[in-house]
Amino acid sequence: MVEIIKENITVFKISIFFRKKISSLQKYSILKENIQGGINFMKNNTTDTKKPSRQEKVQALSEDLEKSIHEFMNGEKYMAFLSSMSKFHTYSLNNQLLIARQRPGATCCASYTTWNRLNRQVRKGESGIKIFCPAPYKSTVLRDAKDPATGKPCLLPDGSHKKEAVERIIPYFKVGHIFDISQTDGEALPEIANELTGDLDSSQKELKDALLKICPVPVTFQPIKGEAHGFYRRDTKEIVVDSTLSEKQSLKTLIHEMGHAMLHSTDIPDAPGDVSTREVQAESVAYVVCKYFGLDTSDYSFGYIAGWSSGRETKELKASLETIREASNSMIDQASAVLEKARAAKQPLEQTAKAVQGRCM
């Protein structure tokens, strides 16, 4: 009887042992399935959430930029872009296009840290304007060393070329963010004297004098028969402006013809051959310069821009915009420098006049 009881107890223990093993195996199997499921989920979702590299961001922005160029080729959008170019004339063409596309009404842009230095704070939730920022880096390369006296390669005792380490700066760009002043709050900014101030007639004459000083060709004012306000002679390299025009129209015509002189001289090998392109470029330069200096631009119209740009490659349109940017930027900078110098020279005379007037009172 005792033996039977012992056998039953042994069988019972063995049964419990195997039940635990089976239970453990089942739990292990379930755990394994859960782990594998988690791994598969992470694999399937890692690609979607992977952050693009810096180079991928630059490439994506570049492709988006190229596609947007044709969007600006209609009258109103083109004029709005030229207005943006006048406000951000120191920016590259790429960044001017990016600002105009992302925030058409932008007037004054800066980085987050710059706004902080100016005691202005970017409002919470504002999205930055993406632009290209230069981020060059240094790289060391080996090259054949040369004798500074003879310019010949330096040789080692075994006859091989001696090497020297040279540091090079590799140009590179990254995507940065800027914010328009309308996206910030804080202290008012000091006014920038872009626009002509004081008596309109006298300020226009000052600008006209400055432009005549920087004009690359001689300018003649004389009556012109017909409807033309002025013209640029490519053969003799001179500008003629109708002397019967009002001061305002005379100034705007001068700027237009200076655009021709700067861009379309026969000495420039890649100057456009077709008249329509030359007119688009000269008129665009005149608009940007006039807009910058605060001259009336209400009579400008670019309704023909869509027809002119139709069928042209993006590369050609971008090259033309770059030409307009460089010419208007050059004219603005040179004229501004002459105006600033003239105004600086006037200050001592004005102070002397005030001092004399004070003694006489």
Side-chain angles (χ1 to χ4, degrees), residues 84-100:
S84 178
M85 186 184 284
S86 73
K87 297 168 189 170
F88 305 105
H89 74 284
T90 57
Y91 282 66
S92 68
L93 174 65
N94 285 340
N95 285 339
Q96 288 175 346
L97 287 164
L98 288 171
I99 293 170

Side-chain angles (χ1 to χ4, degrees), residues 102-121:
Q102 295 171 75
R103 202 170 186 89
T107 58
C108 181
C109 293
S111 66
Y112 186 91
T113 53
T114 300
W115 284 127
N116 284 345
R117 286 201 301 269
L118 295 170
N119 296 319
R120 294 188 69 88
Q121 183 65 41

Side-chain angles (χ1 to χ4, degrees), residues 17-61:
F17 172 77
F18 278 107
R19 282 179 183 176
K20 287 182 177 179
K21 285 291 184 183
I22 292 170
S23 177
S24 297
L25 288 171
Q26 289 175 337
K27 289 179 180 178
Y28 171 74
S29 178
I30 293 171
L31 179 62
K32 184 178 179 182
E33 289 178 2
N34 289 338
I35 292 173
Q36 189 60 45
I39 292 172
N40 291 337
F41 175 81
M42 291 177 68
K43 284 182 177 179
N44 293 335
N45 288 274
T46 299
T47 304
D48 295 336
T49 58
K50 181 183 176 182
K51 291 184 177 180
S53 66
R54 185 166 71 173
Q55 190 59 34
E56 288 172 338
K57 289 180 181 179
V58 171
Q59 183 63 29
L61 196 60

Side-chain angles (χ1 to χ4, degrees), residues 123-150:
R123 288 192 292 272
K124 187 176 180 181
E126 292 286 354
S127 298
I129 304 168
K130 293 179 183 178
I131 62 169
F132 294 118
C133 297
Y137 62 92
K138 295 179 180 179
S139 177
T140 302
V141 296
L142 293 176
R143 72 176 182 187
D144 293 341
K146 292 184 178 181
D147 187 321
T150 63

